[in-house]
Amino acid sequence: MAELIGIVGNSGSGKSTSLRNLDPSSTFIINVAGKPLPIKGYKKNYKALVMNPDTRKYDGNLYNTSDVTKIGQILKMVDKTRPEIKTVIIEDAQYIMAFEAMDRAAEKGYEKFTQMASNFYSVLKEAMNMRDDLKVCVLTHAENTGDAINPNYKMKTIGKMIDSMITVEGLFTYVLFTTLTRDGEGEVAHKFITQSDGTTTAKTPMGCFNEMHIDNDLQYVIEQIDKYNGE
């Protein structure tokens, strides 16, 4: 069973830049929104998935889609035929639900929300069922279900109907939230929150990370998880 890592935060808070130190040769990115990746040299390091006509195998480490069926197929392909891949990124995962909601905006009734929840769950379930040596990192936006005085940040969904069906964070062992901090000289740094302080649903196993705030470096996160697991 693969390990699921949730990276949660607002746009521009450092989710995508946390990918900067990952090894492209062992990383595969499913780009749900299809937008350019804010990673230096990404066009050189991340090539679109194509079938090699000579080997009849898939080459490349980037695929743009928000289609649930295609995402499931890509996850199966990586699981079964790409042993060199150790980290899978599902970038902008909240758009899996958001795009479907927009496409189905004219539909009446609540059944569509059940279907959207089921579709999103199926992606996470497929990811969980991948091989043991894989980390699947789901990057998604945050939403505040509290208020400005008493915030309560969680993984963004598209409404209370879906929240009543699945608690998304419950499927993850690791949920890290992005934040901005300032040092004594006022310099801004992008960080991950490793534990909840009552305002987020951040969580990591006891003893995995000793600090409340760590650098927003996903490679470091994976290395610490491997150390924690004794790998």
Side-chain angles (χ1 to χ4, degrees):
M1 179 177 289
E3 289 197 273
L4 265 60
I5 303 170
I7 305 296
V8 189
N10 296 325
S11 181
S13 63
K15 298 187 304 298
S16 298
T17 54
S18 72
L19 311 181
R20 64 192 180 278
N21 290 325
L22 292 175
D23 182 358
S25 68
S26 61
T27 302
F28 193 101
I29 298 178
I30 299 173
N31 191 6
V32 176
K35 66 183 182 183
L37 300 173
I39 308 170
K40 185 177 180 180
Y42 95 89
K43 289 186 177 181
K44 177 181 70 174
N45 293 321
Y46 291 95
K47 301 295 185 179
L49 186 71
V50 293
M51 171 71 79
N52 187 315
D54 297 324
T55 63
R56 303 301 298 170
K57 294 181 179 180
Y58 285 104
D59 294 331
N61 56 355
L62 174 67
Y63 194 80
N64 298 329
T65 186
S66 62
D67 183 274
V68 169
T69 300
K70 289 181 180 179
I71 292 173
Q73 291 170 346
I74 294 299
L75 293 175
K76 285 187 173 71
M77 181 276 296
V78 170
D79 183 41
K80 302 300 182 185
T81 71
R82 300 290 296 274
E84 79 279 10
I85 300 297
K86 304 300 181 184
T87 305
V88 176
I89 306 296
I90 303 179
E91 164 74 316
D92 278 331
Q94 76 281 348
Y95 286 119
I96 295 172
M97 288 181 284
F99 287 163
E100 183 178 2
M102 293 300 294
D103 291 340
R104 304 177 65 177
E107 292 184 27
K108 305 297 183 182
Y110 294 108
E111 182 180 353
K112 67 178 180 180
F113 292 102
T114 303
Q115 293 170 349
M116 283 186 276
S118 177
N119 289 340
F120 188 69
Y121 172 77
S122 72
V123 169
L124 299 181
K125 190 68 173 177
E126 190 68 53
M128 291 171 62
N129 288 333
M130 297 174 78
R131 62 179 194 267
D132 291 349
D133 65 336
L134 276 166
K135 306 287 191 305
V136 181
C137 305
V138 179
L139 279 58
T140 187
H141 284 179
E143 65 176 330
N144 183 7
T145 59
D147 54 40
I149 298 175
N150 298 296
N152 182 28
Y153 291 97
K154 59 179 283 295
M155 287 185 170
K156 185 176 180 63
T157 58
I158 58 169
K160 294 181 179 179
M161 181 66 67
I162 286 182
D163 289 341
S164 69
M165 296 171 189
I166 57 173
T167 301
V168 178
E169 290 90 337
L171 301 176
F172 291 78
T173 305
Y174 306 88
V175 179
L176 304 172
F177 276 71
T178 57
T179 190
L180 300 178
T181 63
R182 292 182 182 273
D183 62 19
E185 299 180 354
E187 291 293 325
V188 175
H190 290 81
K191 299 285 186 178
F192 284 147
I193 301 171
T194 63
Q195 300 288 338
S196 176
D197 62 357
T199 66
T200 75
T201 54
K203 63 176 183 177
T204 56
M206 183 181 296
C208 186
F209 298 98
N210 294 323
E211 305 89 1
M212 174 66 82
H213 297 131
I214 59 174
D215 287 340
N216 72 327
D217 182 346
L218 197 46
Q219 180 60 35
Y220 171 76
V221 169
I222 290 172
E223 290 171 359
Q224 289 301 114
I225 290 173
D226 286 341
K227 288 180 182 178
Y228 180 79
N229 291 336
E231 297 180 14

